[in-house]
Amino acid sequence: MFACFRRIKKCQLRQLMMMCFLLSVIKVYWESLDKNVSNHVKSYSFRLLNSLDFISSNLTISYKEAQKFSNHRYLINHEEKCASKDVLLLLLVKSSPENFDRRQAIRLTWGNEAYIQQRFGVTVRVLFALGIYPQPVNRRKLQHRLIVEDKTYQDLIQQDFLDTFHNLTIKLLLQLGWTHTYCEHARFLMSADDDIFVHMPNLIRYLQEINRTSVKDFWIGKVHRGAPPIRKKESKYYVSHDIYPWFLYPDYTPGAGYVVSRDVASRVYQASLTLNASIYIDDVFMGICANAIGISPQEHVFFSGEGRAPNHVCIYNQMMTSHGHVKDFHELWKLATDPEVQQVSSGLFGKLYCTIAKIRLLCALHTVNTYPCKAAFL
């Protein structure tokens, strides 16, 4: 009986060792393939960016002309929000006037400044960037409600432009201008949509580590390289040849969520003062501004861009952002920040389990708009 038990244990051990070996081979192969692809993309992207210098030069306009895009009056403002000189992260959330529930959910979960200060001992400032409600019928009623909301939470900044999809670039200019005027000392700036989930503990730990290196030229997110303009008129992302006549955009990160260092935020702001902001896709305009100052975005595999990350304990451990959340903020926040999340992936068996789970979740052929397959091996 004892000998039989020993044979079973040996058999299980051999199976485990074989699985570890196979996973190691897959990882080595994937990293080798990924390195070759990455080097090719970087080389191609470098040549492409050099060839796209003419875009920013052709979009350059006078400072006076550019003012018509950014010279909007503040209706709600908080000049003192960044009074603390030790701000690690300024987080500007693009929101629409009517999205009260989303803002409240963010305040109670990943955008809770008091929680971040207490848990990590760092200062993060969260503000919601708004225009005015586009429909005149309910505009006054909604504006009154916004004023009441802001008196309670003091975290709204609003200018007098219509809050529509085609004014997203103006909202980006609001973010850049407010940062430059009132919070230029923040070490990092994050721009995010109000339907994105940010795993704040993971992000704070990451930024704290990056901050120790006095990093510059830092811009991370999910990167779109060599993306072409959409020319189909039925698409909301349609851009005409008159607005943008070229066949490729500079590299950019989706506006759903990305992070830049303060030097990049400052230089992009300066570039925006003399560039034609009539292109209403804000993340593309961000890419044009960055291209003008010679900055390229860096890929971070756990920024989901436009996609929604899989709900799994092995994903939460490394998640940075997940897009497309409206009603599940509270549930996801509770699951993702559960102390047991760290324990699941600890140790040899935990790491092996999570690697297998992530391969199944991220490397399936039908998987789209989520983290890339290489994230399974990190």
Side-chain angles (χ1 to χ4, degrees), residues 49 93 127 145 179 213 283 298 300 367:
L49 281 172
V93 182
L127 283 166
R145 190 175 174 187
T179 302
T213 66
D283 42 21
Q298 307 161 40
H300 192 297
T367 301

Side-chain angles (χ1 to χ4, degrees), residues 152-171:
T152 304
Y153 300 105
Q154 299 183 355
D155 58 2
L156 305 183
I157 53 174
Q158 183 190 36
Q159 288 184 338
D160 62 350
F161 60 86
L162 296 181
D163 200 308
T164 64
F165 177 80
H166 285 81
N167 279 340
L168 279 176
T169 295
I170 295 178
K171 190 174 285 188

Side-chain angles (χ1 to χ4, degrees), residues 263-288:
D263 63 299
V264 172
S266 177
R267 292 165 63 195
V268 166
Y269 168 74
Q270 294 298 334
S272 73
L273 296 177
T274 54
L275 285 172
N276 189 334
S278 60
I279 181 166
Y280 46 80
I281 304 177
D282 59 321
D283 42 21
V284 170
F285 183 74
M286 174 73 180
I288 292 170

Side-chain angles (χ1 to χ4, degrees), residues 238-307:
Y238 165 73
V239 174
S240 69
H241 285 88
D242 291 336
I243 294 177
Y244 191 90
W246 304 285
F247 67 98
L248 289 178
Y249 291 135
D251 294 352
Y252 68 93
T253 53
Y258 57 85
V259 179
V260 299
S261 53
R262 62 183 168 194
D263 63 299
V264 172
S266 177
R267 292 165 63 195
V268 166
Y269 168 74
Q270 294 298 334
S272 73
L273 296 177
T274 54
L275 285 172
N276 189 334
S278 60
I279 181 166
Y280 46 80
I281 304 177
D282 59 321
D283 42 21
V284 170
F285 183 74
M286 174 73 180
I288 292 170
C289 292
N291 181 57
I293 60 173
I295 299 295
S296 298
Q298 307 161 40
E299 180 84 21
H300 192 297
V301 294
F302 289 103
F303 275 72
S304 67
E306 301 95 338

Side-chain angles (χ1 to χ4, degrees), residues 50-255:
N50 282 343
S51 69
L52 290 182
D53 288 344
F54 65 89
I55 292 179
S56 56
S57 63
N58 278 274
L59 290 176
T60 298
I61 56 179
S62 69
Y63 175 78
K64 187 175 181 179
E65 287 179 289
Q67 274 192 310
K68 69 180 181 181
F69 297 107
S70 59
N71 192 22
H72 294 276
R73 180 171 59 95
Y74 278 99
L75 300 176
I76 301 175
N77 194 12
H78 292 284
E79 300 178 6
E80 76 295 340
K81 184 70 173 180
C82 275
S84 170
K85 295 300 180 183
D86 190 26
V87 179
L88 177 69
L89 175 66
L90 171 62
L91 206 163
L92 294 174
V93 182
K94 294 172 292 181
S95 188
S96 297
E98 68 274 19
N99 290 349
F100 298 98
D101 291 342
R102 295 188 192 184
R103 291 191 291 275
Q104 187 63 5
I106 290 171
R107 293 183 185 108
L108 295 174
T109 55
W110 58 265
N112 189 324
E113 294 179 356
Y115 165 84
I116 297 165
Q117 182 72 52
Q118 183 179 10
R119 172 80 184 275
F120 299 99
V122 299
T123 300
V124 172
R125 290 290 176 252
V126 181
L127 283 166
F128 298 93
L130 309 162
I132 59 175
Y133 189 65
Q135 301 299 327
V137 176
N138 293 318
R139 184 180 298 161
R140 180 174 293 184
K141 180 180 179 181
L142 269 172
Q143 189 62 28
H144 175 73
R145 190 175 174 187
L146 285 174
I147 292 171
V148 172
E149 178 186 359
D150 186 66
K151 283 182 178 178
T152 304
Y153 300 105
Q154 299 183 355
D155 58 2
L156 305 183
I157 53 174
Q158 183 190 36
Q159 288 184 338
D160 62 350
F161 60 86
L162 296 181
D163 200 308
T164 64
F165 177 80
H166 285 81
N167 279 340
L168 279 176
T169 295
I170 295 178
K171 190 174 285 188
L172 172 63
L173 295 175
L174 162 60
Q175 294 174 299
L176 294 172
W178 195 93
T179 302
H180 174 78
T181 306
Y182 303 111
C183 201
E184 196 173 23
H185 55 280
R187 292 177 178 84
F188 299 96
L189 165 67
M190 181 174 190
S191 177
D193 288 345
D194 64 2
D195 62 347
I196 194 173
F197 179 85
V198 181
H199 196 301
M200 195 57 72
N202 288 348
L203 180 62
I204 293 299
R205 283 190 286 263
Y206 176 70
L207 293 181
Q208 284 179 309
E209 184 178 341
I210 293 295
N211 188 50
R212 295 188 189 102
T213 66
S214 301
V215 68
K216 291 185 176 182
D217 297 344
F218 180 80
W219 176 18
I220 61 163
K222 184 179 180 67
V223 180
H224 289 328
R225 302 190 188 278
I230 303 298
R231 302 300 191 191
K232 295 180 179 179
K233 291 185 178 181
E234 60 271 21
S235 172
K236 74 173 185 176
Y237 298 104
Y238 165 73
V239 174
S240 69
H241 285 88
D242 291 336
I243 294 177
Y244 191 90
W246 304 285
F247 67 98
L248 289 178
Y249 291 135
D251 294 352
Y252 68 93
T253 53

